[in-house]
Amino acid sequence: MKKIILFFIPLFIFASEPITPIYKVPYDKQKAELGKKLFFDPSISEDGTVSCASCHDLRYGSSDPRAVSVGVHVKLGRIQSEPVYNAVFNFRQFWNGRARNLYEQIDGPTHNPVEMGLNSKRVEKILNDNSFYKKEFTKIYHKNYITYEMFKDAIVEFEKAMVTPNCKFDKYLEGKVNLTKKEKNGYLLFKKFGCITCHNGVNIGGNSFQKIGVVYPASNRVGDRYEVTKNPEDKFVYKVPSLRNVELTAPYFHNGITYNLNEAVELMAYYNLGLKPKKEEIDAIVAFLKTLTGKSPKILKANK
Amino acid sequence: MRNAIIIFLGSILIALLVAFNYKTKNYFNDKNRIDNNLQQLKSYELDINYNVLKVSFFFYTNLDNLKKDESKIDSILDLLENESNIKNDKQLYKEFTEYKKAVLNKIDESYRFETNAIPVKNANMYIIKLLSGYDYEVINNTNYSNYVNRVLSNILFFENTFDKAFITNLKKNVSMLNSFALNNEAQKFNDVFVKNIKIMNNYFPKYNYFLNKVLNNQSLNKLEELHKIFLEKSNQKLIIITIVSYLLIGFVIFVGILILYLFYRVDKENELLEKLSITDDLTGLYNRRKFQDDSKNIKNPILLIVNIDRFKYYNELYGVEIGDFILKEVAQTLKILLYKIDVDIYRLGADDFGILSSKNNINAEKLSENIIKYFKNNIIEFNNLEFNISVSIGISEFEPLIETADIALKEVKQNSHKQYEVYNLSNVYLKKIKNNMNKLSILKNTIENEKIIPYFQPIWDNRTGKVIKYEVLARVSNDSKVESIYPYLDIAKENKLYKYITESIYKKAFEKFKDTNIEFSLNIGIADLNEPETMDLINNLFDKYPKIVKNITFEILEDDAIKNYNILKEFITFVKSKGCQIALDDFGSGYSNFAHILNLDIDFLKIDGSLIKFLPEDKRMQVIVETIVKFSQKMNIKTIAEFVASKEIYEKVKELNIDYTQGFYLGEPSDKLVGE
């Protein structure tokens, strides 16, 4: 069998671009609309000040413009907030991939005492005491009591809708538009330098765990894969972040070390490839990266 | 009961079939679904292998594929975990959990492979970039450059052979590279170059380790094992299903045979019932019902009704036993006589036998002659008694067959010189109508012209030899010819003329006897009693001639007395209160019932002519009459013998102590009284 597979491999050599265009994920519209309400509602937090949107700011590509997020009672988190946009395409959630899917991810910020700081029972009480949610949930789930699972389910449906379509690069891949010479060159360098080895697939990242600082060791190890597996090999290993909307999601890296995209590219080339690309090369790569900025999801436009 | 069994068995059968079908369908659905899922797992696992190899083969590739395989495998594992066939089977579930652990581990190792493969790939790419001159032109040291070239070729060997031997070389290369004295720019280059070589050095063993781990993972073997066990278990269940299906087929056959058998029995019984329904119990001939069916299905049918002459007589005098015997004998005789001819024989009524055939098949008249001749020449014997039976035959080919043949038969009975008659639309039927019309006109004429006249027949006292009274009889006087009223009675009743006859006779009788002290008897029938005008007449006459009322005797027919008991009883009570007497006429002609007679307060019994006529020669008759007389004497009822036509009869009548005599021998009915 293996031999056969090996035999066929050459046939796929020209098979595909390592990056594939974004696609729509089917979702339940009613639930997603309800999830949207929950997403923006700060009352579902310990002191009524923090909503999902507080740290997944839609003005900044649904991530936090602050290096670390601020939770209830103005407590500081310890890691950069990841974008909600296109999170559905990630193979794991969180920088260290401790959640296997969106459903598990919601537990994280909800229960985290420095984020929303609520246990499941508290969430249920808040929702069941709210006549609006009571009515909406009953309408959609046909149950008298709102459970924590229903709460998560609604938000997950909303997150499935949070996909940013029609970025320039997707259109280029679909053959609808052409890239500028600079952007094209940037993409070529992106591949040539080896960025593509990790940043590929539909999310241009988000599909493997990789070590930051392969060539030159990085510092400031926080929230890495080691915290989950306790395997020494997993130190400084993080889920590769998606590069979609990267133009909007500063600051960059797990510790939000820079707000400058050029600098972020330079740092990445240095740490993981041992390269010091020329300024024009970095400019070109950044120009390519900016073609990854998509349109706002339909669900956000719907009833404004 | 039988139907209930059939329905019950049928229902059970259907229920079993439905249940079996449902079970087997479920079985195959479950089996196919699980089988399919296991196959799919295998294909996704192979896809993981393929994707891992792809990562290994290319510098870069889309890593989403592994993610896709993982999510497919996850969802199939979820489905299988909830399959009751796996969940509820300890062995299968254990195998399944082991496999699940293995395959999840394999996926984890695949990701680890990727984590370790990418740095190697990047290092490779860097080396390729070097070959294209990137960052490389800055070096201005020939010895160093040459050595770098040697290292590059060493790396390319390693890269394309994956031979560990070249790794050891690489380690030497690194220390050699670091031993060169280099300028600043070259030192920087060397730094990165060495780092990349070290990355290859460091990551390649893990890269290789995880690649082998994924490709030679035990999970596929475990999956095969799981699949094998699952199929074995399924096949075990299949054996059960096969056995059950054989049993079910057996049951189906059994029920089928049973139902066929039950239907067969129902058929048999129907046949028997049909036979019973078309045959006559006594004679075994076809019955009237069968005749009705057959006559419709025959072309140009012709019917002969064979009637036993005076059968009623045999039946009454010798008892039903002999009557039945005669019927059986006649039936048997007809069968024997006719067995060669294409006819069917039926018993149509009490003593009516039907012979049905097609007109073309028989000569009906010749056949009738033969039958009549046979009975004339042969005697039927029963317990030493000999019966000389004769038959009359009515023949018809006109619808309705029985009725028309019956008309022909009646014709025979009325004409004693004929023994068979063929019904003929033009003569028989018209003749009958004409006859009736004729009678009606005569009757009407007679009534209008007061031609109904009373005749008087004397009744003699057997002890004194004197006339004690006269029976008043109606006669029709036409063209100087006086005839009996009897042939006109039916027509009179049908045409509401009866009351006029009664009126005429009653008035004339009262007129005749009004100034005498002579007793006379008047006939009264049920038709009179139901006629208010007649009852008024009687009242009027009683009032008009009060002196002679006590001289009147009313003669009542025995038949009427039985059939209209209450009306008669009322009438008798009434006339008795006026001083009249009551005689019961034709006693012994029907099924005489003594109990009735007692209740009716009768003064005279007139013994029927059928008993008197054969009195001298028939011993049985003598016994019957003797009994009647003794009974009457005890009840203080006087007896009158009718139809005393000869000296022999008269002597016998006297010998039997009958009180009075009436008959031609002593005096015929006449318009004059004795001595007038």
Side-chain angles (χ1 to χ4, degrees):
Chain A
M1 193 70 204
K2 262 181 260 174
K3 276 179 193 159
I4 296 171
I5 292 169
L6 284 171
F7 175 77
F8 277 108
I9 284 176
L11 298 181
F12 291 97
I13 278 177
F14 302 109
S16 56
E17 277 286 342
I19 297 175
T20 50
I22 204 161
Y23 55 89
K24 278 183 188 162
V25 178
Y27 63 91
D28 183 315
K29 194 128 192 273
Q30 274 188 304
K31 289 180 180 177
E33 286 293 341
L34 182 56
K36 182 177 159 188
K37 301 255 165 48
L38 296 166
F39 187 84
F40 287 100
D41 190 347
S43 73
I44 310 165
S45 65
E46 211 244 303
D47 63 355
T49 61
V50 177
S51 75
C52 304
S54 306
C55 307
H56 298 287
D57 192 328
L58 300 184
R59 291 167 300 175
Y60 301 95
S62 73
S63 74
D64 200 329
R66 301 164 291 198
V68 293
S69 298
V70 179
V72 289
H73 306 302
V74 208
K75 290 178 192 166
L76 288 181
R78 52 188 206 123
I79 204 157
Q80 229 300 276
S81 148
E82 285 187 277
V84 173
Y85 284 155
N86 310 315
V88 65
F89 297 120
N90 289 340
F91 85 126
R92 297 282 188 275
Q93 302 300 335
F94 297 118
W95 282 97
N96 57 16
R98 66 185 184 274
R100 284 181 69 84
N101 51 43
L102 293 171
Y103 200 73
E104 285 179 22
Q105 185 274 336
I106 295 168
D107 292 337
T110 309
H111 299 330
N112 192 337
V114 302
E115 296 186 41
M116 271 79 170
L118 297 174
N119 62 24
S120 314
K121 285 274 162 260
R122 283 285 307 281
V123 173
E124 288 179 2
K125 189 174 182 325
I126 290 167
L127 293 176
N128 283 294
D129 287 349
N130 183 318
S131 63
F132 170 77
Y133 285 128
K134 192 90 183 162
K135 203 180 91 196
E136 290 293 304
F137 272 99
T138 311
K139 201 169 82 191
I140 297 167
Y141 289 88
H142 310 292
K143 295 269 159 54
N144 284 328
Y145 184 77
I146 307 168
T147 63
Y148 180 60
E149 278 65 36
M150 283 151 65
F151 160 77
K152 288 206 286 183
D153 185 59
I155 293 176
V156 167
E157 289 302 313
F158 172 64
E159 286 182 285
K160 285 183 189 169
M162 290 285 269
V163 167
T164 59
N166 289 322
C167 75
K168 191 175 180 184
F169 190 69
D170 285 334
K171 286 185 187 166
Y172 164 73
L173 288 177
E174 286 160 358
K176 288 176 184 166
V177 297
N178 231 323
L179 299 181
T180 64
K181 210 174 167 193
K182 194 179 176 188
E183 288 162 347
K184 236 179 207 169
N185 189 33
Y187 181 41
L188 198 65
L189 289 169
F190 187 80
K191 293 202 265 194
K192 211 168 168 185
F193 285 151
C195 313
I196 195 77
T197 52
C198 300
H199 293 285
N200 55 46
V202 67
N203 239 3
I204 313 140
N207 54 8
S208 68
F209 293 118
Q210 299 299 342
K211 185 172 180 174
I212 186 152
V214 174
V215 181
Y216 294 104
S219 58
N220 193 354
R221 185 177 66 80
V222 61
D224 62 358
R225 185 100 185 110
Y226 174 72
E227 289 184 5
V228 183
T229 65
K230 300 295 170 199
N231 183 339
E233 281 180 14
D234 288 336
K235 282 185 180 170
F236 287 103
V237 170
Y238 293 93
K239 178 188 74 189
V240 176
S242 166
L243 292 183
R244 285 194 179 273
N245 306 309
V246 69
E247 182 188 1
L248 308 173
T249 58
Y252 302 111
F253 301 111
H254 62 283
N255 49 7
I257 199 166
T258 177
Y259 282 81
N260 184 312
L261 187 53
N262 289 51
E263 199 186 334
V265 173
E266 209 181 328
L267 282 171
M268 205 60 228
Y270 175 73
Y271 280 118
N272 270 33
L273 304 170
L275 300 175
K276 264 200 160 306
K278 298 185 185 85
K279 194 180 169 296
E280 316 89 80
E281 289 171 334
I282 290 177
D283 281 348
I285 289 174
V286 168
F288 157 68
L289 291 180
K290 285 184 177 173
T291 66
L292 298 175
T293 305
K295 302 279 175 292
S296 190
K298 209 173 157 193
I299 190 158
L300 294 177
K301 289 174 195 163
N303 39 358
K304 255 181 184 171
Chain B
M1 184 60 197
R2 196 172 300 128
N3 287 345
I5 292 173
I6 291 176
I7 289 167
F8 178 69
L9 282 176
S11 311
I12 285 186
L13 190 60
I14 289 165
L16 280 175
L17 283 172
V18 168
F20 181 70
N21 183 40
Y22 178 76
K23 282 269 174 196
T24 46
K25 209 169 142 192
N26 272 359
Y27 165 80
F28 284 111
N29 279 347
D30 288 353
K31 193 200 152 182
N32 289 343
R33 195 175 54 242
I34 294 172
D35 198 36
N36 193 26
N37 278 333
L38 291 173
Q39 300 272 14
Q40 280 203 15
L41 275 180
K42 194 176 166 185
S43 79
Y44 285 121
E45 274 215 47
L46 290 175
D47 202 48
I48 289 178
N49 293 0
Y50 165 72
N51 282 322
V52 164
L53 282 169
K54 215 168 139 189
V55 169
S56 163
F57 186 84
F58 293 110
F59 276 143
Y60 52 78
T61 182
N62 189 339
L63 302 180
D64 279 357
N65 295 327
L66 184 58
K67 178 179 83 182
K68 283 175 193 158
D69 290 336
E70 183 195 16
S71 70
K72 291 282 183 193
I73 288 174
D74 270 354
S75 62
I76 295 173
L77 288 175
D78 271 359
L79 285 177
L80 287 175
E81 190 146 32
N82 290 321
E83 285 286 355
S84 55
N85 282 323
I86 292 177
K87 216 161 46 178
N88 300 334
D89 188 306
K90 258 189 186 167
Q91 193 194 357
L92 268 181
Y93 191 70
K94 195 175 147 248
E95 289 288 332
F96 173 75
T97 10
E98 272 178 26
Y99 167 70
K100 186 181 172 182
K101 216 171 120 191
V103 74
L104 290 180
N105 196 35
K106 176 177 175 170
I107 291 168
D108 194 51
E109 281 162 353
S110 305
Y111 284 124
R112 283 192 175 277
F113 164 76
E114 285 182 356
T115 308
N116 287 298
I118 270 54
V120 175
K121 294 287 159 186
N122 280 337
N124 267 337
M125 283 173 83
Y126 177 75
I127 306 248
I128 299 288
K129 280 202 290 280
L130 285 188
L131 286 174
S132 69
Y134 190 87
D135 265 6
Y136 189 38
E137 65 271 20
V138 294
I139 295 147
N140 205 2
N141 183 330
T142 321
N143 282 345
Y144 178 70
S145 291
N146 287 344
Y147 193 73
V148 166
N149 282 339
R150 276 176 63 186
V151 175
L152 282 176
S153 87
N154 200 12
I155 288 171
L156 281 176
F157 264 117
F158 162 66
E159 215 168 64
N160 289 295
T161 59
F162 279 23
D163 192 331
K164 279 179 189 165
F166 295 99
I167 291 230
T168 12
N169 278 350
L170 278 177
K171 277 180 187 159
K172 282 181 202 159
N173 294 153
V174 168
S175 51
M176 274 300 288
L177 282 169
N178 284 336
S179 68
F180 282 92
L182 297 167
N183 64 25
N184 214 13
E185 285 296 314
Q187 192 57 51
K188 269 187 193 166
F189 165 79
N190 186 55
D191 203 19
V192 177
F193 185 46
V194 166
K195 279 213 180 283
N196 274 299
I197 294 169
K198 279 185 173 167
I199 287 169
M200 293 188 80
N201 245 336
N202 286 341
Y203 280 88
F204 182 75
K206 281 186 271 175
Y207 166 104
N208 202 31
Y209 170 79
F210 282 115
L211 181 62
N212 284 325
K213 213 68 210 272
V214 172
L215 296 181
N216 301 318
N217 201 290
Q218 283 305 299
S219 64
L220 264 175
N221 294 343
K222 289 211 161 99
L223 181 61
E224 295 287 352
E225 183 68 16
L226 173 66
H227 203 163
K228 203 179 97 193
I229 294 173
F230 169 73
L231 288 179
E232 274 168 15
K233 299 228 167 192
S234 291
N235 288 343
Q236 278 168 15
K237 277 188 196 163
L238 190 63
I239 290 168
I240 295 170
I241 285 178
T242 313
I243 292 169
V244 171
S245 73
Y246 282 142
L247 287 176
L248 212 56
I249 288 168
F251 189 61
V252 167
I253 292 169
F254 166 73
V255 170
I257 290 171
L258 191 66
I259 287 172
L260 281 179
Y261 169 71
L262 289 176
F263 273 123
Y264 167 77
R265 271 184 51 183
V266 168
D267 251 21
K268 273 267 164 188
E269 274 169 33
N270 282 347
E271 232 169 69
L272 190 67
L273 272 179
E274 195 166 319
K275 204 169 166 190
L276 285 177
S277 74
I278 60 167
T279 54
D280 173 56
D281 275 354
L282 181 68
T283 60
L285 297 176
Y286 290 139
N287 60 16
R288 190 175 180 120
R289 191 155 119 195
K290 171 79 168 148
F291 170 81
Q292 305 286 20
D293 290 345
D294 289 355
S295 62
K296 279 177 212 147
N297 299 327
I298 202 163
K299 243 188 173 184
N300 299 323
I302 188 162
L303 173 68
L304 287 74
I305 294 184
V306 179
N307 178 267
I308 303 166
D309 292 333
R310 303 205 308 135
F311 176 71
K312 199 178 169 191
Y313 162 81
Y314 296 110
N315 222 7
E316 280 169 7
L317 293 185
Y318 300 103
V320 178
E321 199 187 351
I322 291 198
D324 285 352
F325 175 76
I326 291 169
L327 287 173
K328 276 194 251 181
E329 279 298 303
V330 171
Q332 202 55 37
T333 307
L334 286 176
K335 270 194 209 168
I336 293 163
L337 280 178
L338 302 173
Y339 87 99
K340 272 187 180 167
I341 313 167
D342 183 16
V343 296
D344 285 319
I345 309 171
Y346 307 84
R347 185 172 175 218
L348 296 178
D351 57 337
D352 285 335
F353 296 90
I355 299 168
L356 179 69
S357 185
S358 178
K359 199 164 69 179
N360 314 323
N361 288 350
I362 57 166
N363 181 338
E365 295 191 41
K366 187 97 175 77
L367 193 65
S368 300
E369 278 170 21
N370 287 343
I371 293 168
I372 288 159
K373 208 168 99 191
Y374 179 87
F375 281 107
K376 199 179 254 173
N377 297 336
N378 290 280
I379 284 166
I380 292 172
E381 271 191 46
F382 181 77
N383 287 354
N384 296 329
L385 282 171
E386 288 188 346
F387 298 96
N388 198 346
I389 297 291
S390 68
V391 296
S392 305
I393 298 177
I395 305 164
S396 171
E397 57 188 71
F398 297 98
E399 292 290 346
L401 283 169
I402 292 184
E403 283 77 355
T404 50
D406 208 43
I407 289 168
L409 183 65
K410 281 200 177 110
E411 200 71 16
V412 178
K413 297 275 179 184
Q414 279 165 19
N415 288 313
S416 52
H417 59 275
K418 267 190 159 174
Q419 286 202 277
Y420 70 89
E421 181 67 84
V422 180
Y423 174 82
N424 185 312
L425 199 60
S426 54
N427 69 15
V428 180
Y429 195 61
L430 286 178
K431 206 163 105 192
K432 191 179 163 108
I433 290 170
K434 207 171 155 190
N435 197 10
N436 282 344
M437 293 303 286
N438 194 26
K439 274 187 192 165
L440 184 60
S441 94
I442 293 169
L443 185 64
K444 277 190 173 165
N445 189 28
T446 312
I447 291 167
E448 271 165 33
N449 298 320
E450 293 282 328
K451 292 271 184 64
I452 300 214
I453 52 162
Y455 260 46
F456 310 100
Q457 188 171 27
I459 297 171
W460 303 75
D461 188 327
N462 288 341
R463 274 177 289 121
T464 60
K466 283 180 181 167
V467 174
I468 52 131
K469 63 172 157 187
Y470 294 89
E471 180 179 357
V472 180
L473 298 162
R475 284 293 183 269
V476 177
S477 165
N478 261 332
D479 310 329
S480 73
K481 195 182 103 208
V482 175
E483 51 179 340
S484 168
I485 190 86
Y486 189 76
Y488 300 96
L489 281 183
D490 283 342
I491 284 187
K493 279 176 190 165
E494 276 166 25
N495 293 284
K496 309 238 177 229
L497 297 172
Y498 191 77
K499 59 185 177 187
Y500 299 113
I501 300 171
T502 308
E503 185 185 353
S504 176
I505 295 298
Y506 274 30
K507 277 183 177 169
K508 286 171 183 163
F510 270 85
E511 191 63 31
K512 177 86 181 176
F513 293 108
K514 66 178 178 185
D515 295 325
T516 69
N517 207 17
I518 300 168
E519 290 186 21
F520 62 101
S521 64
L522 297 167
N523 284 292
I524 189 149
I526 194 69
D528 297 311
L529 298 183
N530 286 331
E531 184 57 72
E533 282 180 43
T534 306
M535 297 318 286
D536 286 346
L537 171 77
I538 291 170
N539 272 321
N540 290 340
L541 290 172
F542 278 7
D543 291 345
K544 197 172 172 187
Y545 310 104
K547 275 192 250 168
I548 60 167
V549 171
K550 63 177 192 329
N551 297 335
I552 301 167
T553 301
F554 283 100
E555 291 192 11
I556 299 160
L557 287 172
E558 184 198 25
D559 200 35
D560 285 351
I562 287 162
K563 286 178 185 159
N564 306 284
Y565 182 80
N566 288 329
I567 298 169
L568 265 174
K569 180 143 182 126
E570 202 180 315
F571 173 75
I572 290 169
T573 314
F574 165 69
V575 295
K576 281 229 156 183
S577 72
K578 298 286 182 185
C580 302
Q581 289 180 294
I582 300 295
L584 195 61
D585 206 359
D586 295 349
F587 183 78
S589 64
Y591 297 87
S592 298
N593 186 328
F594 289 158
H596 262 73
I597 293 157
L598 290 179
N599 285 335
L600 280 176
D601 195 8
I602 298 293
D603 301 293
F604 302 98
L605 266 187
K606 297 187 80 170
I607 300 166
D608 191 56
S610 62
L611 297 176
I612 301 298
K613 267 194 270 183
F614 303 102
L615 209 46
E617 60 268 16
D618 198 326
K619 277 256 161 49
R620 290 169 64 100
M621 296 288 176
Q622 290 170 17
V623 173
I624 293 167
V625 172
E626 211 176 342
T627 311
I628 292 171
V629 171
K630 276 188 180 151
F631 163 78
S632 301
Q633 282 171 350
K634 288 235 169 89
M635 299 309 297
N636 208 16
I637 294 171
K638 301 288 185 205
T639 46
I640 302 168
E642 287 182 298
F643 289 84
V644 178
S646 64
K647 190 170 186 299
E648 291 81 36
I649 299 173
Y650 179 57
E651 291 304 326
K652 206 75 200 176
V653 163
K654 285 205 285 191
E655 190 190 310
L656 288 171
N657 287 325
I658 296 172
D659 296 310
Y660 308 110
T661 299
Q662 183 178 357
F664 280 24
Y665 177 65
L666 293 181
E668 290 179 32
S670 158
D671 56 344
K672 293 188 174 62
L673 301 179
V674 176
E676 260 182 4

